[in-house]
């Protein structure tokens, strides 16, 4: 096992040495990012664990990790999308053969998606969505309203959860689509966020169209597809994606020790305890992730993966709180004239992205206690009745 | 030191777990707790026959020559079962000290007997302050004739009441050293202490001109190394014990019915359980990572050992206490096992150092790396 890991590591390293220029952060044969990604896909690094017939190399988990690590080391993009690319994974697992062939390469090559799940009436209770998709010949006609849609203004496609059957119970009447986002029937309105950004949007769908061939999975199977897509998203959040204010401080992870030195509080014994605890939570989560990957590489399932997002939420809120203490009065300031304060302020607000987005901390605790620990499910008043008779519809 | 293959380690651990489930059931723990010595010689013999007491002893001295990774692993089982007795004291702390000494005679004479379980050794480290740091050493040793004479107080000496041999860390004019003392000799007065966790026994020992034999090549650093080994073993114990009392609690949540449904359906309890699972898994990861780092003498060894020391202590404390709350009244009874875990958690959180100290050392180690 280790032999093959070493072999792959060497092969990737050699390949990168030949094709990637770490100095300029570009492929040696120049060209666009897209060209580089094409290259990565052709070499089988984009999705190493998938079979050769599907852009991969049929590698095991440890080998795949080795590939990802080598790419990470030199800062080259595009590898290991079999772990982190939400649309590609959903299609690979549930899509038709034709859909796989047509769309997966697009996503591996960097096509942007937004997630059209949440609605004003369906947040934590996502299975209550009321956006409707009605089949008309070769297309579905989609009408409804989505909200909190991150990145919709920059997206090529939306992953859409919509209702195709109103007589079935709520979870059974859903279907999952990949809908082209730039079309007449879709209007996107940015929403201002507590961070001052406006990354997320309201999305109004009014007789928008999506080809029936773009349905992922069967009609009525949308909830199942959704679970896979959500699992990938939570995994990404559990490893701490997107903590920092864009274009601000150098590193995503800011060292509390650096800030304590800067603010000359590094000698304060009380703050040192808090710094230690905050750093410990982060390191413990990293150790958990390493261990769960080892366990999964050895073939046993690991419950730890489902803990990462909840743990990360505590880490991000905790870090921001300690940073605020270190800054003291300066944390009241903001903007470019006060970059450290601006960064900490941003982190303070943005920590809620991880504790709310992708399923709130409370929902994560429900999931962990039910699916990992086997405790009884939450009661759900409308779980078994036809959706059109539920309070979500009737009010 | 040889790293045992993962499979072999798995087999040792599984065998140990089986032994403990047979001979160290809750009923047995309670029986031993109530004895005067807090020690079960027949169980000790069985543990020794399995090679657990020989794990850390080098092969040339009749041991298995394994390391922290293997010890941590079996300690998870020991912790889960709340094993009482001198395992950490003799097979970890004393063994760690002696193995790292340069004293060939002592090693040859004592280590094989520790490995076989015939000799139980206990290490006297700290005085009444209970600091487990060089400043905390209160016994002094001075040359007298060919030997040494020891004076002063050592306290919180783990399992000394059943020890055949005391290893006494003492101050000398040349710094900290370690001395071999027979518990029965003149000038040694051993007073067993009353403990809240009756599965752990400590003694306070007064040395009054007691005769000791110097063990070559033990200084502050060697003592610290042996303590690190003990901390890793203790972290394993805490991780294993946290997991067991957590599992006991989750089982109870599924069977206890109130308001017409299992209490595990109440969200307040479900959410407590999810949070505790993070603590349990983190403790396991931390203990194992510390063991790996110590075994390979990794550059981030100090970071990981101190992290494990406070993370595992705090996790065990939180899980054990919350377990009682989640059980309700039944766990307030002496007959229920939850309080046994709380007692051990509270004691373990003091043994060899406290969380605040470890957190301070952790930041200091991180500062060095930053
Ligand atoms: C930064 C950010 C980005 C986002 N990006 C996207 C996106 O790209 N696409 C998308 O579709 N959505 C996105 N979301 C939406 C997100 O998924 C929802 O906000 C989230 O699932 C919660 O839903 P809600 O806001 O409707 O809150 P509600 O569901 O109304 O929850 C309100 C409160 O009730 C609690 N609660 C609800 N149900 C339960 C229960 N069963 N048990 C215990 N407590 C409960 C919640 O924890 C919360 O505290 C984003 C959100 C944020 C903050």
């Amino acid at each position: 096992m280790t032999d093959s890991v070493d072999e792959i590591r060497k092969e990737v390293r050699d390949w990168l040495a030949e094709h990637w220029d770490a100095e300029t952060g570009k492929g040696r044969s120049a060209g666009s990012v897209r060209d580089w990604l094409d290259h990565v896909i052709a070499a089988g690094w984009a999705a190493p664990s998938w079979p050769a017939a599907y852009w991969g190399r049929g590698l095991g988990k440890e080998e795949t990790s080795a590939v990802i690590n080598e790419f990470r080391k030199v800062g080259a993009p595009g590898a290991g999308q079999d772990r982190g690319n939400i649309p590609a994974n959903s299609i690979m697992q549930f899509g038709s053969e034709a859909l796989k062939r047509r769309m997966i390469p697009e996503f591996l090559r960097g096509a942007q998606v937004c997630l059209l799940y949440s609605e004003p009436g369906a947040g934590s209770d996502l299975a209550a969505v009321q956006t409707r998709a009605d089949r008309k010949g070769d297309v579905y006609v989609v009408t409804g309203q989505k909200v909190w849609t991150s990145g919709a203004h920059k997206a090529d496609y939306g992953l859409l959860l919509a209702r195709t059957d109103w007589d079935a119970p709520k979870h059974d009447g859903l279907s999952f689509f990949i809908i082209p986002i730039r079309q007449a029937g879709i209007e996107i309105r940015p929403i201002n966020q507590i961070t001052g950004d406006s990354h997320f949007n309201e999305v109004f769908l009014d007789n928008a169209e999506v080809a029936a061939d773009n349905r992922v999975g069967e009609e009525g199977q949308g909830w199942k597809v959704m679970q896979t897509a959500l699992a990938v998203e939570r995994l990404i959040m559990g490893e701490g994606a997107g903590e920092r204010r864009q274009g601000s401080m150098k590193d995503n992870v800011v060292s509390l020790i650096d800030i304590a030195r800067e603010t000359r509080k590094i000698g304060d014994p009380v703050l040192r305890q808090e710094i230690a605890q905050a750093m410990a939570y982060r390191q413990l989560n990293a150790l958990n992730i390493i261990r769960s990957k080892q366990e999964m590489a050895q073939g046993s399932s690991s419950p730890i993966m489902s803990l990462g997002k909840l743990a990360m939420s505590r880490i991000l809120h905790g870090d921001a709180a300690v940073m605020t203490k270190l800054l003291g009065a300066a944390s009241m300031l903001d903007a470019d004239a006060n970059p450290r304060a601006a960064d900490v302020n941003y982190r303070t607000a943005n920590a809620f992205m991880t504790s709310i987005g992708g399923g709130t901390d409370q929902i994560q605790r429900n999931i962990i206690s039910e699916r990992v620990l086997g405790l009884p499910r939450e009661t759900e008043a409308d779980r078994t009745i036809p959706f059109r008779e539920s309070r979500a519809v009737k009010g | 030191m040889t790293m045992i293959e993962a499979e072999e380690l798995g087999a040792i651990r599984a065998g140990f777990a089986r032994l403990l489930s047979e001979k160290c059931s809750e009923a047995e723990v309670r029986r031993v707790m109530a004895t005067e010595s807090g020690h079960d010689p027949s169980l000790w013999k069985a543990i020794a026959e399995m090679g657990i007491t020989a794990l850390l002893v080098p092969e040339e001295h009749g041991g298995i020559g394994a390391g922290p990774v293997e010890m941590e692993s079996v300690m998870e089982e020991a912790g889960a079962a709340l094993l009482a007795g001198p395992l950490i004291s003799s097979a970890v702390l004393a063994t760690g000290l002696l193995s790292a000494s340069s004293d060939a005679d002592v090693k040859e004479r004592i280590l094989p007997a520790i490995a076989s379980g015939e000799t139980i050794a206990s290490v006297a480290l700290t005085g009444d302050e209970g600091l487990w740091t060089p400043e905390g050493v209160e016994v002094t040793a001075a040359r007298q004739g060919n030997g040494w004479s020891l004076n002063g107080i050592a306290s919180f000496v783990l399992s000394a009441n059943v020890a055949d041999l005391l290893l006494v860390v003492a101050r000398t004019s040349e710094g900290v050293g370690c001395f071999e003392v027979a518990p029965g000799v003149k000038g040694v007065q051993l007073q067993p202490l009353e403990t809240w966790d009756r599965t752990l026994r400590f003694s306070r020992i007064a040395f009054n001109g007691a005769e000791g034999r110097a063990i070559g090549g033990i200084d502050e650093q060697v003592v610290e190394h042996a303590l690190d080994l003990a901390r890793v073993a203790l972290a394993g114990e805490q991780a294993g014990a946290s997991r067991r009392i957590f599992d006991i609690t989750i089982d109870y949540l599924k069977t206890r019915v109130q308001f017409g449904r299992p209490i595990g359906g109440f969200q307040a309890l479900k959410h407590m359980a999810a949070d505790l699972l993070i603590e349990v898994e983190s403790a396991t990861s931390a203990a194992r990572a510390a063991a790996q780092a110590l075994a390979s003498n990794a550059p981030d060894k100090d970071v990981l050992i101190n992290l494990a020391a406070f993370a595992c202590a705090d996790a065990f404390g939180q899980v054990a206490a919350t377990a009682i709350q989640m059980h309700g009244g039944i766990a307030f009874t002496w007959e229920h096992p939850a309080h046994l875990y709380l007692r051990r958690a509270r004691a373990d959180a003091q043994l060899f150092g406290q969380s605040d100290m470890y957190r301070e050392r952790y930041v200091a180690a991180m500062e060095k790396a930053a």
Side-chain angles (χ1 to χ4, degrees), chain A residues 255 257-258 261 266 268-269 271-281 283-285 287-289 291-292 295 303-304 307-308 310-311 314 361-366 368-370 372-379, chain B residues 243 246 250 253-254 261-267 269-275 277-286 288-289 300 303-304 307 310-311 314 318 355-357 359-360 362-364 366-368 370:
Chain A
S255 155
I257 287 176
D258 284 346
R261 281 178 180 154
I266 188 73
D268 182 319
L271 283 168
R272 286 173 73 83
Q273 291 286 314
E274 297 195 24
I275 291 170
Q277 195 58 57
M279 291 178 85
Y281 284 142
Q283 191 166 14
L284 290 169
N285 189 44
L287 292 174
N288 275 340
I289 291 172
R291 185 161 66 89
S292 73
E295 283 176 1
I304 309 175
L307 303 178
L310 182 57
R314 168 167 80 173
D361 282 359
Q362 289 67 42
I363 294 300
Q364 292 307 305
R365 290 186 177 98
N366 286 349
I368 292 164
S369 55
E370 291 170 13
V372 180
L373 299 175
L375 295 177
R377 294 186 68 106
E378 292 295 294
T379 48
Chain B
R243 192 174 293 277
F246 178 72
I250 298 303
L253 296 190
K254 291 175 185 170
R261 54 184 173 128
I263 56 170
F266 298 124
Q267 202 176 65
L269 297 186
K270 285 167 75 173
H271 287 194
M272 284 159 117
D275 287 337
L277 181 62
I278 294 184
E279 300 305 324
V280 170
E281 295 296 351
S282 299
T284 305
S285 297
R288 292 182 189 174
D300 58 354
V303 167
L304 288 168
L307 174 65
F310 69 85
D314 295 350
Q318 185 187 340
S355 287
D356 286 1
M357 175 188 94
R359 263 189 293 269
E360 173 52 44
Y362 172 74
V363 194
M366 283 292 215
E367 265 184 279
K368 245 188 238 165

Side-chain angles (χ1 to χ4, degrees), chain A residues 115 117-118 123-124 148 150 200 353 356-358 360 362-363 366, chain B residues 267:
Chain A
L115 311 176
Y117 309 154
S118 304
S124 299
W148 322 129
S150 302
F200 62 30
M353 176 174 91
I356 297 175
T360 65
Q362 289 67 42
I363 294 300
N366 286 349
Chain B
Q267 202 176 65

Side-chain angles (χ1 to χ4, degrees), chain A residues 26-269:
Chain A
K26 281 193 180 132
R28 290 201 192 276
S29 53
S32 63
V33 177
R34 226 162 207 267
D35 295 335
W36 166 255
L37 292 172
D38 273 337
H39 227 51
V40 176
I41 295 166
W45 304 133
S49 67
W50 292 353
Y54 297 95
W55 309 278
R57 287 177 154 238
L59 297 185
K61 284 178 175 147
E62 279 185 90
E63 288 91 345
T64 303
S65 297
V67 174
I68 297 172
N69 281 335
E70 290 306 315
F71 269 72
R72 198 173 284 160
K73 270 190 216 156
V74 298
Q81 300 193 50
D82 42 354
R83 298 219 174 133
N85 189 317
I86 299 172
N89 274 281
S90 311
I91 301 172
M92 186 63 189
Q93 202 167 336
F94 295 101
S96 68
E97 186 62 24
L99 191 62
K100 284 181 191 163
R101 295 284 161 206
R102 182 159 53 85
M103 298 223 72
I104 288 182
E106 266 202 72
F107 290 118
L108 294 182
R109 230 180 270 137
Q112 294 295 305
V113 288
C114 61
L115 311 176
L116 297 168
Y117 309 154
S118 304
E119 297 179 3
S124 299
D125 185 11
L126 207 47
V129 294
Q130 298 196 49
T131 293
R132 58 187 314 133
D134 299 316
R135 180 87 186 236
K136 298 257 161 67
D138 291 341
V139 299
Y140 284 86
V141 176
V142 185
T143 296
Q145 185 194 341
K146 295 291 177 179
V147 71
W148 322 129
T149 316
S150 302
H153 48 302
K154 284 189 283 185
D156 304 302
Y157 295 97
L159 303 190
L160 169 70
L161 184 68
R163 190 160 303 279
T164 42
D165 182 350
W166 295 72
D167 295 314
K170 60 200 271 197
H171 294 89
D172 302 336
L174 301 168
S175 300
F176 197 89
F177 302 92
I178 298 187
I179 185 171
I181 209 85
R182 281 185 279 269
Q183 57 167 298
I186 297 184
E187 190 198 340
I188 297 167
R189 293 185 204 153
I191 306 175
N192 297 326
Q193 304 176 182
I194 59 174
T195 51
D197 301 322
S198 39
H199 295 315
F200 62 30
N201 306 271
E202 289 177 292
V203 177
F204 297 89
L205 301 115
D206 181 12
N207 289 304
E209 288 193 359
V210 56
D213 288 343
N214 276 21
R215 198 188 57 228
V216 185
E218 299 301 315
E219 220 183 73
Q221 275 201 342
W223 187 248
K224 214 162 110 191
V225 184
M226 194 62 226
Q227 296 311 304
T228 302
L230 280 174
V232 177
E233 183 184 354
R234 286 168 185 161
L235 217 64
I236 299 170
M237 293 179 96
E239 300 199 20
E243 295 176 25
R244 117 200 105 122
R245 176 166 166 254
Q246 267 162 359
S248 67
M249 312 303 289
K250 49 190 188 320
D251 267 330
N252 204 14
V253 177
V254 160
S255 155
L256 293 172
I257 287 176
D258 284 346
I259 302 181
R261 281 178 180 154
E262 243 175 68
T263 53
R264 279 171 282 131
K265 291 186 179 154
I266 188 73
D268 182 319

